[in-house]
Amino acid sequence: MSSTLATTTEFAAVALLAIHVLELIFVFKNGRLYRGSLVVSILLTLLFGLLHWKPLADQRARSKV
């Protein structure tokens, strides 16, 4: 039972990381809006995804109006 749980957990972790890597590729321009280091922005996108780059994109959209 624990072997199945471990395998499922590993698969879920790899799947989430892959999704965030794809997200990083498609929203890289929004990640570059981060005021800090680009490396930190990339790490934050990999860790938090939408929760990191979406507020940056919203702020950019508001400033263009």
Side-chain angles (χ1 to χ4, degrees), residues 7-43:
T7 302
T8 303
T9 304
E10 289 172 6
F11 178 76
V14 169
L16 284 173
L17 181 60
I19 289 169
H20 284 304
V21 167
L22 288 173
E23 181 179 35
L24 177 64
I25 292 168
F26 288 107
V27 298
F28 187 71
K29 65 179 180 175
N30 292 328
R32 292 181 60 94
L33 298 173
Y34 184 65
R35 294 183 192 261
S37 163
L38 180 60
V39 173
V40 172
S41 183
I42 289 170
L43 289 173

Side-chain angles (χ1 to χ4, degrees), residues 39-60:
V39 173
V40 172
S41 183
I42 289 170
L43 289 173
L44 289 172
T45 300
L46 291 175
L47 285 171
F48 303 113
L50 180 72
L51 297 175
H52 171 65
W53 64 262
K54 182 66 171 140
L56 298 172
D58 291 346
Q59 182 181 9
R60 180 180 179 194

